[in-house]
Amino acid sequence: MGKRRVPDLYRAPFPLYAIKVDSKSGLVITAGGGGASKTGIKNAVHFLDLQLVGEQQYSASLLHSHDTDLRATVNMAIGDGTIAAGQDGTCCLMRVRHFTLKEEGKTPAKGGNSVPHGNVRRRAGKVDKCGQDGAAASGDMTDTKDETAHISVTGLAELQSDLNPQDPFQKVVRFSPDLSLLLTGGTDGHIRVWEFPSLKKKFDFKAHKGEIEDLDISPENKHLVTVGRDFACCVWSGNQLAMGLKWHETLPQMAEKTYRYMACRYGKVEDQKEALRLYTVQIPHKRDRRPPPCYLTKWDGKSFLPMLTAPCGTEVISSLAISDSGTFLGLGTVTGSVAIYIAFSLQKLYYVQQSHGLVVTDLAFLPDTLKGKNIKGNNETALLSVAVDSRCQVHAVSNRRSFPIWLVLFFCGLMVVGIVLLLQHLFPRFI
């Protein structure tokens, strides 16, 4: 662990803000851009084909680049072939098709999937900021590296996800685990919930006094957890406040408003099907010459009682991810460092100082299982990171050495025999 060189998996021609991995196809989806500024930096969503090279190394190739016009995608969620992209004060929904042309000369079909009418704004005409992908729809595959693999992107709808009169900006978007809900939070402090795929608005309520930093929803959609810049982490049942979490009570010497919540994530528990955990990150409210540590807290995901709090370094945390199995937590920092923690003990397993040159904006673990494809190889886990420095990296943790159970039992037997022989030597009448 420490400062070492992590090779770039991919480098985009624009700052990267979001990364996701499609659990069905294994596609790596990255997004970002220069926004509306006239600097010549484009705004796009890139689709990458990730391949395992050998047993532990990875390579990625660009399958397709989808232009998002004058708006950069800053946050993103994927579910069942649909991308929900945060672009300024809107949530842009796009349908993605990933397919193979088996017959030579066959052109891709238009992915004209429609979404039933809901509380949405639809865009007409050739240019669609959500993005009807002209290249894919017309059969022009100049952006496709693999001649047999094709991506088509179809703009579906836009949701007004933030109504801040000064500078509307969506900060987080999430699909519920069962894909029945789409949730957003922004700078106006409101949580907005839509039924999916109908996009009928279900809830719109003021959750925090300041900006929404993060949100997550539990399995079966029972509880929604929100994090705001107002020092609060709230648990909601529907649009009704159930309770507020107070992590500082786990450390009695901690003053109440010296830290604020930065992120929250639900996670599974290995070998405990009914168990559920919630993880939160707390960062110092004010910067100091001698920076205090940030903290990770593990909560019981049903009773919301704190189970464990541990420091996680003095670099300010900027992003949080959790693996599918709930075994590992990924952390990115504003100084470009990347770390992987064991969720059970909150112990650091992997750390690279300043792996990126600038703030780590998003993280995504590779799926634990992928149908028909071995994506983890001989690695115990692998974490993808993106940053404002335009780089996408993969952080792989090789399987920790373990002894076969027969060898453990053999050594235990030898120890028992050795102890008996020693006792017999010291006390001849022992046996």
Side-chain angles (χ1 to χ4, degrees), residues 71-72 74-75 85-92 121 158-164 167-172 184-188 192 194:
R71 299 188 304 191
V74 180
N75 45 74
Q87 298 174 357
D88 298 332
T90 63
C91 184
C92 180
R121 296 187 301 157
E158 279 189 22
L159 305 170
Q160 191 67 39
S161 55
D162 191 77
L163 296 176
N164 188 328
D167 187 17
F169 189 74
Q170 176 183 298
K171 297 201 68 177
V172 58
T184 66
T187 58
D188 64 358
R192 293 177 174 88
W194 289 268

mmCIF file of all heavy atoms in Angstrom, residues 71-72 74-75 85-92 121 158-164 167-172 184-188 192 194:
data_model
loop_
_atom_site.group_PDB
_atom_site.id
_atom_site.type_symbol
_atom_site.label_atom_id
_atom_site.label_comp_id
_atom_site.label_asym_id
_atom_site.label_seq_id
_atom_site.Cartn_x
_atom_site.Cartn_y
_atom_site.Cartn_z
ATOM 1 N N ARG A 71 -24.247 19.749 -22.605
ATOM 2 C CA ARG A 71 -24.370 19.436 -21.184
ATOM 3 C C ARG A 71 -23.528 18.227 -20.811
ATOM 4 O O ARG A 71 -23.602 17.175 -21.452
ATOM 5 C CB ARG A 71 -25.838 19.201 -20.822
ATOM 6 C CG ARG A 71 -26.714 20.413 -21.072
ATOM 7 C CD ARG A 71 -28.106 20.233 -20.541
ATOM 8 N NE ARG A 71 -28.758 19.048 -21.085
ATOM 9 C CZ ARG A 71 -30.048 18.792 -20.926
ATOM 10 N NH1 ARG A 71 -30.807 19.627 -20.237
ATOM 11 N NH2 ARG A 71 -30.581 17.721 -21.432
ATOM 12 N N ALA A 72 -22.755 18.386 -19.764
ATOM 13 C CA ALA A 72 -21.944 17.282 -19.253
ATOM 14 C C ALA A 72 -22.777 16.431 -18.309
ATOM 15 O O ALA A 72 -23.579 16.947 -17.536
ATOM 16 C CB ALA A 72 -20.718 17.817 -18.522
ATOM 17 N N VAL A 74 -22.887 14.572 -15.030
ATOM 18 C CA VAL A 74 -22.110 14.681 -13.796
ATOM 19 C C VAL A 74 -22.395 13.532 -12.838
ATOM 20 O O VAL A 74 -21.553 13.172 -12.020
ATOM 21 C CB VAL A 74 -22.376 16.038 -13.118
ATOM 22 C CG1 VAL A 74 -21.596 16.192 -11.825
ATOM 23 C CG2 VAL A 74 -22.016 17.184 -14.070
ATOM 24 N N ASN A 75 -23.579 12.932 -12.926
ATOM 25 C CA ASN A 75 -23.897 11.750 -12.135
ATOM 26 C C ASN A 75 -24.803 10.855 -12.956
ATOM 27 O O ASN A 75 -25.455 11.308 -13.910
ATOM 28 C CB ASN A 75 -24.527 12.116 -10.787
ATOM 29 C CG ASN A 75 -25.587 13.191 -10.920
ATOM 30 O OD1 ASN A 75 -26.689 12.941 -11.393
ATOM 31 N ND2 ASN A 75 -25.240 14.427 -10.523
ATOM 32 N N ALA A 85 -29.148 10.114 -16.475
ATOM 33 C CA ALA A 85 -27.960 10.967 -16.427
ATOM 34 C C ALA A 85 -28.310 12.344 -15.884
ATOM 35 O O ALA A 85 -29.242 13.000 -16.371
ATOM 36 C CB ALA A 85 -27.346 11.103 -17.821
ATOM 37 N N GLY A 86 -27.561 12.787 -14.879
ATOM 38 C CA GLY A 86 -27.735 14.120 -14.333
ATOM 39 C C GLY A 86 -26.996 15.139 -15.171
ATOM 40 O O GLY A 86 -25.770 15.104 -15.263
ATOM 41 N N GLN A 87 -27.748 16.028 -15.804
ATOM 42 C CA GLN A 87 -27.177 17.066 -16.661
ATOM 43 C C GLN A 87 -27.791 18.401 -16.255
ATOM 44 O O GLN A 87 -28.967 18.650 -16.516
ATOM 45 C CB GLN A 87 -27.455 16.762 -18.139
ATOM 46 C CG GLN A 87 -26.828 15.450 -18.606
ATOM 47 C CD GLN A 87 -27.222 15.090 -20.029
ATOM 48 O OE1 GLN A 87 -28.007 15.776 -20.664
ATOM 49 N NE2 GLN A 87 -26.667 13.998 -20.525
ATOM 50 N N ASP A 88 -26.999 19.240 -15.585
ATOM 51 C CA ASP A 88 -27.484 20.499 -15.035
ATOM 52 C C ASP A 88 -28.652 20.204 -14.080
ATOM 53 O O ASP A 88 -28.511 19.405 -13.186
ATOM 54 C CB ASP A 88 -27.870 21.473 -16.147
ATOM 55 C CG ASP A 88 -26.678 21.847 -17.018
ATOM 56 O OD1 ASP A 88 -25.550 21.823 -16.504
ATOM 57 O OD2 ASP A 88 -26.879 22.144 -18.215
ATOM 58 N N GLY A 89 -29.811 20.828 -14.298
ATOM 59 C CA GLY A 89 -30.951 20.620 -13.408
ATOM 60 C C GLY A 89 -31.926 19.582 -13.898
ATOM 61 O O GLY A 89 -33.075 19.553 -13.451
ATOM 62 N N THR A 90 -31.497 18.735 -14.822
ATOM 63 C CA THR A 90 -32.397 17.740 -15.384
ATOM 64 C C THR A 90 -31.823 16.335 -15.244
ATOM 65 O O THR A 90 -30.608 16.145 -15.133
ATOM 66 C CB THR A 90 -32.670 18.001 -16.886
ATOM 67 O OG1 THR A 90 -31.437 17.878 -17.609
ATOM 68 C CG2 THR A 90 -33.247 19.387 -17.108
ATOM 69 N N CYS A 91 -32.739 15.363 -15.281
ATOM 70 C CA CYS A 91 -32.361 13.952 -15.345
ATOM 71 C C CYS A 91 -32.744 13.467 -16.730
ATOM 72 O O CYS A 91 -33.925 13.426 -17.087
ATOM 73 C CB CYS A 91 -33.082 13.147 -14.268
ATOM 74 S SG CYS A 91 -32.599 11.416 -14.205
ATOM 75 N N CYS A 92 -31.751 13.117 -17.505
ATOM 76 C CA CYS A 92 -31.950 12.720 -18.892
ATOM 77 C C CYS A 92 -31.958 11.199 -18.983
ATOM 78 O O CYS A 92 -31.014 10.539 -18.554
ATOM 79 C CB CYS A 92 -30.832 13.303 -19.738
ATOM 80 S SG CYS A 92 -30.944 12.892 -21.466
ATOM 81 N N ARG A 121 -40.563 16.249 -19.672
ATOM 82 C CA ARG A 121 -40.468 17.123 -20.830
ATOM 83 C C ARG A 121 -39.801 16.327 -21.938
ATOM 84 O O ARG A 121 -38.763 15.725 -21.737
ATOM 85 C CB ARG A 121 -39.613 18.360 -20.521
ATOM 86 C CG ARG A 121 -40.194 19.266 -19.463
ATOM 87 C CD ARG A 121 -39.369 20.519 -19.381
ATOM 88 N NE ARG A 121 -37.990 20.207 -19.057
ATOM 89 C CZ ARG A 121 -36.975 21.013 -19.343
ATOM 90 N NH1 ARG A 121 -37.161 22.118 -19.980
ATOM 91 N NH2 ARG A 121 -35.744 20.676 -18.989
ATOM 92 N N GLU A 158 -36.848 13.706 -20.472
ATOM 93 C CA GLU A 158 -36.150 14.542 -19.503
ATOM 94 C C GLU A 158 -37.066 14.829 -18.326
ATOM 95 O O GLU A 158 -38.236 15.143 -18.508
ATOM 96 C CB GLU A 158 -35.722 15.875 -20.127
ATOM 97 C CG GLU A 158 -34.452 15.803 -20.934
ATOM 98 C CD GLU A 158 -33.972 17.186 -21.340
ATOM 99 O OE1 GLU A 158 -34.357 18.161 -20.671
ATOM 100 O OE2 GLU A 158 -33.232 17.279 -22.325
ATOM 101 N N LEU A 159 -36.497 14.722 -17.122
ATOM 102 C CA LEU A 159 -37.217 15.079 -15.908
ATOM 103 C C LEU A 159 -36.578 16.316 -15.304
ATOM 104 O O LEU A 159 -35.347 16.401 -15.230
ATOM 105 C CB LEU A 159 -37.152 13.932 -14.891
ATOM 106 C CG LEU A 159 -37.626 12.558 -15.360
ATOM 107 C CD1 LEU A 159 -37.261 11.506 -14.325
ATOM 108 C CD2 LEU A 159 -39.117 12.570 -15.600
ATOM 109 N N GLN A 160 -37.381 17.273 -14.884
ATOM 110 C CA GLN A 160 -36.845 18.433 -14.182
ATOM 111 C C GLN A 160 -36.580 18.004 -12.743
ATOM 112 O O GLN A 160 -37.489 17.873 -11.937
ATOM 113 C CB GLN A 160 -37.818 19.606 -14.224
ATOM 114 C CG GLN A 160 -37.226 20.923 -13.758
ATOM 115 C CD GLN A 160 -36.156 21.449 -14.705
ATOM 116 O OE1 GLN A 160 -36.294 21.329 -15.912
ATOM 117 N NE2 GLN A 160 -35.097 22.033 -14.157
ATOM 118 N N SER A 161 -35.297 17.773 -12.419
ATOM 119 C CA SER A 161 -34.961 17.161 -11.137
ATOM 120 C C SER A 161 -34.475 18.159 -10.089
ATOM 121 O O SER A 161 -34.253 17.780 -8.941
ATOM 122 C CB SER A 161 -33.893 16.078 -11.348
ATOM 123 O OG SER A 161 -32.767 16.618 -12.022
ATOM 124 N N ASP A 162 -34.284 19.416 -10.467
ATOM 125 C CA ASP A 162 -33.886 20.436 -9.498
ATOM 126 C C ASP A 162 -34.478 21.777 -9.912
ATOM 127 O O ASP A 162 -34.407 22.146 -11.094
ATOM 128 C CB ASP A 162 -32.359 20.527 -9.403
ATOM 129 C CG ASP A 162 -31.910 21.381 -8.216
ATOM 130 O OD1 ASP A 162 -31.959 20.885 -7.084
ATOM 131 O OD2 ASP A 162 -31.532 22.543 -8.432
ATOM 132 N N LEU A 163 -35.031 22.485 -8.952
ATOM 133 C CA LEU A 163 -35.711 23.756 -9.245
ATOM 134 C C LEU A 163 -35.061 24.933 -8.533
ATOM 135 O O LEU A 163 -35.724 25.913 -8.224
ATOM 136 C CB LEU A 163 -37.195 23.659 -8.860
ATOM 137 C CG LEU A 163 -38.022 22.643 -9.658
ATOM 138 C CD1 LEU A 163 -39.439 22.562 -9.118
ATOM 139 C CD2 LEU A 163 -38.029 23.005 -11.142
ATOM 140 N N ASN A 164 -33.782 24.830 -8.250
ATOM 141 C CA ASN A 164 -33.063 25.954 -7.659
ATOM 142 C C ASN A 164 -33.129 27.136 -8.632
ATOM 143 O O ASN A 164 -32.663 27.031 -9.769
ATOM 144 C CB ASN A 164 -31.609 25.552 -7.406
ATOM 145 C CG ASN A 164 -30.835 26.581 -6.624
ATOM 146 O OD1 ASN A 164 -31.091 27.778 -6.738
ATOM 147 N ND2 ASN A 164 -29.881 26.138 -5.847
ATOM 148 N N ASP A 167 -29.170 28.351 -9.683
ATOM 149 C CA ASP A 167 -28.312 27.451 -10.446
ATOM 150 C C ASP A 167 -28.800 26.022 -10.258
ATOM 151 O O ASP A 167 -28.234 25.269 -9.467
ATOM 152 C CB ASP A 167 -26.861 27.593 -9.983
ATOM 153 C CG ASP A 167 -25.892 26.815 -10.861
ATOM 154 O OD1 ASP A 167 -26.298 26.440 -11.985
ATOM 155 O OD2 ASP A 167 -24.749 26.574 -10.429
ATOM 156 N N PRO A 168 -29.842 25.602 -10.971
ATOM 157 C CA PRO A 168 -30.374 24.246 -10.799
ATOM 158 C C PRO A 168 -29.323 23.197 -11.152
ATOM 159 O O PRO A 168 -28.663 23.298 -12.189
ATOM 160 C CB PRO A 168 -31.573 24.204 -11.755
ATOM 161 C CG PRO A 168 -31.334 25.290 -12.747
ATOM 162 C CD PRO A 168 -30.567 26.351 -12.022
ATOM 163 N N PHE A 169 -29.185 22.204 -10.274
ATOM 164 C CA PHE A 169 -28.132 21.210 -10.474
ATOM 165 C C PHE A 169 -28.495 19.920 -9.749
ATOM 166 O O PHE A 169 -28.664 19.906 -8.526
ATOM 167 C CB PHE A 169 -26.793 21.742 -9.945
ATOM 168 C CG PHE A 169 -25.610 20.886 -10.290
ATOM 169 C CD1 PHE A 169 -25.105 20.854 -11.573
ATOM 170 C CD2 PHE A 169 -25.016 20.093 -9.320
ATOM 171 C CE1 PHE A 169 -24.007 20.053 -11.899
ATOM 172 C CE2 PHE A 169 -23.916 19.302 -9.617
ATOM 173 C CZ PHE A 169 -23.421 19.283 -10.916
ATOM 174 N N GLN A 170 -28.648 18.845 -10.506
ATOM 175 C CA GLN A 170 -28.892 17.535 -9.916
ATOM 176 C C GLN A 170 -27.574 16.965 -9.400
ATOM 177 O O GLN A 170 -26.595 16.866 -10.135
ATOM 178 C CB GLN A 170 -29.492 16.593 -10.957
ATOM 179 C CG GLN A 170 -29.681 15.164 -10.453
ATOM 180 C CD GLN A 170 -30.202 14.239 -11.513
ATOM 181 O OE1 GLN A 170 -31.310 14.439 -12.018
ATOM 182 N NE2 GLN A 170 -29.420 13.228 -11.877
ATOM 183 N N LYS A 171 -27.555 16.551 -8.125
ATOM 184 C CA LYS A 171 -26.320 16.069 -7.517
ATOM 185 C C LYS A 171 -26.251 14.553 -7.395
ATOM 186 O O LYS A 171 -25.168 13.993 -7.255
ATOM 187 C CB LYS A 171 -26.127 16.701 -6.133
ATOM 188 C CG LYS A 171 -25.973 18.223 -6.183
ATOM 189 C CD LYS A 171 -25.299 18.757 -4.955
ATOM 190 C CE LYS A 171 -23.848 18.344 -4.876
ATOM 191 N NZ LYS A 171 -23.149 18.926 -3.718
ATOM 192 N N VAL A 172 -27.401 13.886 -7.409
ATOM 193 C CA VAL A 172 -27.392 12.432 -7.248
ATOM 194 C C VAL A 172 -28.640 11.845 -7.901
ATOM 195 O O VAL A 172 -29.710 12.461 -7.909
ATOM 196 C CB VAL A 172 -27.314 12.043 -5.748
ATOM 197 C CG1 VAL A 172 -28.482 12.626 -4.966
ATOM 198 C CG2 VAL A 172 -27.247 10.537 -5.554
ATOM 199 N N THR A 184 -34.022 11.268 -7.292
ATOM 200 C CA THR A 184 -33.018 12.297 -7.532
ATOM 201 C C THR A 184 -32.956 13.263 -6.360
ATOM 202 O O THR A 184 -33.928 13.426 -5.619
ATOM 203 C CB THR A 184 -33.321 13.098 -8.813
ATOM 204 O OG1 THR A 184 -34.529 13.836 -8.633
ATOM 205 C CG2 THR A 184 -33.426 12.208 -10.034
ATOM 206 N N GLY A 185 -31.809 13.904 -6.210
ATOM 207 C CA GLY A 185 -31.627 14.966 -5.232
ATOM 208 C C GLY A 185 -30.749 16.045 -5.821
ATOM 209 O O GLY A 185 -29.860 15.756 -6.640
ATOM 210 N N GLY A 186 -30.982 17.301 -5.420
ATOM 211 C CA GLY A 186 -30.229 18.391 -6.017
ATOM 212 C C GLY A 186 -29.930 19.507 -5.043
ATOM 213 O O GLY A 186 -30.040 19.368 -3.823
ATOM 214 N N THR A 187 -29.562 20.660 -5.603
ATOM 215 C CA THR A 187 -29.146 21.794 -4.782
ATOM 216 C C THR A 187 -30.311 22.490 -4.090
ATOM 217 O O THR A 187 -30.092 23.280 -3.170
ATOM 218 C CB THR A 187 -28.391 22.824 -5.642
ATOM 219 O OG1 THR A 187 -29.235 23.250 -6.721
ATOM 220 C CG2 THR A 187 -27.110 22.237 -6.211
ATOM 221 N N ASP A 188 -31.548 22.222 -4.516
ATOM 222 C CA ASP A 188 -32.693 22.863 -3.867
ATOM 223 C C ASP A 188 -33.144 22.111 -2.616
ATOM 224 O O ASP A 188 -34.116 22.511 -1.966
ATOM 225 C CB ASP A 188 -33.863 23.031 -4.846
ATOM 226 C CG ASP A 188 -34.438 21.701 -5.335
ATOM 227 O OD1 ASP A 188 -33.902 20.635 -4.942
ATOM 228 O OD2 ASP A 188 -35.413 21.733 -6.113
ATOM 229 N N ARG A 192 -36.918 13.955 -5.158
ATOM 230 C CA ARG A 192 -38.002 13.696 -6.103
ATOM 231 C C ARG A 192 -37.960 12.228 -6.497
ATOM 232 O O ARG A 192 -36.907 11.700 -6.836
ATOM 233 C CB ARG A 192 -37.881 14.620 -7.319
ATOM 234 C CG ARG A 192 -38.110 16.080 -6.953
ATOM 235 C CD ARG A 192 -37.938 17.033 -8.125
ATOM 236 N NE ARG A 192 -38.307 18.395 -7.717
ATOM 237 C CZ ARG A 192 -37.462 19.276 -7.159
ATOM 238 N NH1 ARG A 192 -36.185 18.928 -6.967
ATOM 239 N NH2 ARG A 192 -37.878 20.474 -6.793
ATOM 240 N N TRP A 194 -39.850 9.202 -8.850
ATOM 241 C CA TRP A 194 -40.739 8.855 -9.950
ATOM 242 C C TRP A 194 -40.928 7.346 -10.010
ATOM 243 O O TRP A 194 -39.989 6.585 -9.758
ATOM 244 C CB TRP A 194 -40.174 9.327 -11.288
ATOM 245 C CG TRP A 194 -40.194 10.800 -11.506
ATOM 246 C CD1 TRP A 194 -41.177 11.530 -12.107
ATOM 247 C CD2 TRP A 194 -39.176 11.749 -11.146
ATOM 248 N NE1 TRP A 194 -40.838 12.864 -12.145
ATOM 249 C CE2 TRP A 194 -39.612 13.032 -11.565
ATOM 250 C CE3 TRP A 194 -37.938 11.637 -10.516
ATOM 251 C CZ2 TRP A 194 -38.868 14.183 -11.357
ATOM 252 C CZ3 TRP A 194 -37.181 12.774 -10.303
ATOM 253 C CH2 TRP A 194 -37.642 14.044 -10.733
#
